[in-house]
Amino acid sequence: MNNNRRSFIKKSAILGLAGATIPQFGFATNNKNEKYMEKTQIRPKVIFFDVNETLLDLTAMKESVGKVLGNRSDLLPLWFTTMLQYSLVSTVGRQYNDFGIIGSAALQMVAANHGITLTEDEAKEAILKPLRSIPAHPEVKQALSDLKKSGYKLVSFTNSSNIGVETQFKNAGLLDYFDERLSIEDIGKFKPHTDAYDWAARKMGIKPNECLLVAAHGWDIAGALWANWRGAFVSRPGAQQYPLAPSPEIAEPNLKLIAEKLTALK
């Protein structure tokens, strides 16, 4: 009888401990979610924008690159990933070359692997000539205008060179929408290296969690979130988020819908 009684008391104590512990875990989880929700309902101090594909429509450049690849449009994704790969190879190796130069080198590599003869000058011409004068996506100007009217500070933040993005913005009519233009050329490390995002936050005199990046590239959003920034993903055709990265607070198919959500924040 005494053994049964002791066993009952012991089991009750364990169950009581579990009952006391489980609500605490639940509270911690809820508290974490509440803090996240609070953060996403507060306006970021600065909205940063990636440029190519996020703001500017690369259709003309893709057609030009596809043409020199023997009209092999199926090779375009391979070319872009090769360009991104070698920009990061350069960063890891503590080297720096203009993103356009890396792009033309990557184009030569893809061409060579598919039996296509392409000179350095031909590769540069195929990329840089159309890239300078590509238009903005149809909804971009109105979205940027709405964000500025709402009181946001807008900053472009790109892997392209300073002169390159200035030329693009002049030709696309976007210069007046931005308070600042930042290029990783000034730090010599390509996004998505964490140092690039840390540098951009310091340049604007704010904390990482006061920054929000708008981008149409999963790798760029992932880099920003890992650097403790906030993110808004523009799911342009063919764009995907990286499944192993945190999810951004906003994900919409165009900039108009993203602007609507950001202007609604207090």
Side-chain angles (χ1 to χ4, degrees):
M1 179 71 74
N2 287 337
N3 287 339
N4 290 338
R5 186 169 180 271
R6 283 196 295 271
S7 178
F8 174 77
I9 293 171
K10 183 177 180 181
K11 289 178 180 178
S12 298
I14 292 172
L15 289 171
L17 179 62
T21 305
I22 291 170
Q24 290 177 9
F25 282 121
F27 178 78
T29 302
N30 290 337
N31 190 44
K32 183 178 180 181
N33 290 337
E34 286 173 5
K35 286 183 178 179
Y36 175 77
M37 290 302 295
E38 286 176 5
K39 184 179 85 167
T40 60
Q41 290 169 6
I42 298 172
R43 286 189 165 212
K45 288 192 174 179
V46 176
I47 302 177
F48 295 81
F49 291 83
D50 176 54
V51 175
N52 293 314
E53 201 64 78
T54 301
L55 299 174
L56 302 179
D57 185 350
L58 298 184
T59 300
M61 189 199 68
K62 290 176 181 178
E63 290 174 352
S64 176
V65 170
K67 185 176 180 180
V68 298
L69 289 174
N71 295 316
R72 291 283 306 276
S73 59
D74 59 304
L75 295 179
L76 288 172
L78 177 59
W79 163 65
F80 185 80
T81 55
T82 303
M83 175 171 61
L84 182 62
Q85 176 188 354
Y86 279 91
S87 71
L88 296 179
V89 166
S90 296
T91 292
V92 171
R94 296 178 183 173
Q95 304 298 311
Y96 176 78
N97 283 291
D98 181 284
F99 202 45
I101 299 301
I102 294 174
S104 63
L107 186 55
Q108 287 180 278
M109 294 169 72
V110 171
N113 280 339
H114 290 83
I116 301 167
T117 302
L118 192 64
T119 67
E120 181 180 351
D121 287 342
E122 289 171 336
K124 288 179 180 178
E125 182 77 2
I127 297 170
L128 299 178
K129 186 176 180 179
L131 192 62
R132 295 188 188 104
S133 56
I134 54 178
H137 286 288
E139 84 286 2
V140 164
K141 290 182 180 179
Q142 185 61 57
L144 294 176
S145 179
D146 291 344
L147 289 168
K148 281 192 73 69
K149 288 177 182 176
S150 185
Y152 277 112
K153 186 169 189 175
L154 309 183
V155 175
S156 63
F157 181 32
T158 179
N159 276 347
S160 298
S161 66
N162 285 301
I163 187 63
V165 74
E166 182 181 5
T167 301
Q168 286 181 307
F169 278 7
K170 281 181 179 178
N171 291 332
L174 296 182
L175 271 180
D176 293 339
Y177 292 99
F178 291 92
D179 299 282
E180 298 280 351
R181 296 190 307 273
L182 298 183
S183 165
I184 62 84
E185 180 182 19
D186 294 334
I187 185 179
K189 294 181 180 181
F190 288 99
K191 296 185 294 177
H193 197 296
T194 301
D195 286 356
Y197 303 96
D198 289 345
W199 167 79
R202 289 196 305 271
K203 285 285 288 183
M204 302 312 301
I206 58 177
K207 299 175 182 177
N209 62 10
E210 296 171 330
C211 306
L212 183 141
L213 177 72
V214 179
H217 304 291
W219 54 266
D220 204 356
I221 289 292
L225 295 174
W226 286 328
N228 201 30
W229 284 31
R230 296 164 62 179
F233 180 66
V234 191
S235 53
R236 302 284 185 201
Q240 294 292 332
Q241 296 182 51
Y242 181 41
L244 301 185
S247 297
E249 62 198 70
I250 299 174
E252 296 290 351
N254 61 61
L255 204 59
K256 176 180 180 293
L257 296 175
I258 287 176
E260 287 175 359
K261 290 193 172 181
L262 289 172
T263 56
L265 298 180
K266 303 301 181 183

